[in-house]
Amino acid sequence: MKINNLGSVNVNPYKKNLEKQAAASTKPQSKEDKVEISSKAIDLQQSNEVVKARQEKVQAIKAQVENGTYTIDPKAVAKGLVEFYKK
């Protein structure tokens, strides 16, 4: 018995995939993500008194750590933990 390979002569199984990749590379990709922050939100971020107070506190703590004068009050830490878990 003789079996001939009919239909599979000169067929590249990857041809469709190559054509899809070529088509995708020729398409201009115009989709972009864009984020806009309103001017009001920017003003709120810049003029927020809480942010300024936090920055001052962080700078003070950094200076104390660099000088070696920063100490931690264990009683205050324990009290804060107890208050947090009581809620």
Side-chain angles (χ1 to χ4, degrees):
M1 178 160 81
K2 185 175 182 183
I3 299 175
N4 294 329
N5 267 343
L6 298 177
S8 64
V9 179
N10 295 329
V11 175
N12 185 352
Y14 304 106
K15 186 175 182 180
K16 287 185 182 180
N17 192 19
L18 291 173
E19 289 174 355
K20 286 181 185 178
Q21 287 178 352
S25 65
T26 58
K27 289 182 187 176
Q29 297 194 5
S30 61
K31 293 184 180 182
E32 294 180 10
D33 292 335
K34 189 175 181 182
V35 176
E36 292 183 15
I37 300 174
S38 68
S39 59
K40 187 173 181 179
I42 293 172
D43 291 340
L44 287 172
Q45 286 178 340
Q46 292 175 349
S47 66
N48 193 350
E49 297 298 324
V50 174
V51 172
K52 290 179 184 177
R54 285 181 183 168
Q55 288 175 349
E56 290 173 1
K57 188 172 182 178
V58 167
Q59 291 301 323
I61 292 173
K62 280 184 181 180
Q64 289 177 353
V65 168
E66 289 175 359
N67 294 335
T69 59
Y70 181 73
T71 57
I72 299 171
D73 183 14
K75 290 182 181 181
V77 173
K79 183 179 178 183
L81 288 171
V82 168
E83 292 297 321
F84 177 78
Y85 286 108
K86 277 187 179 179
K87 292 181 183 178

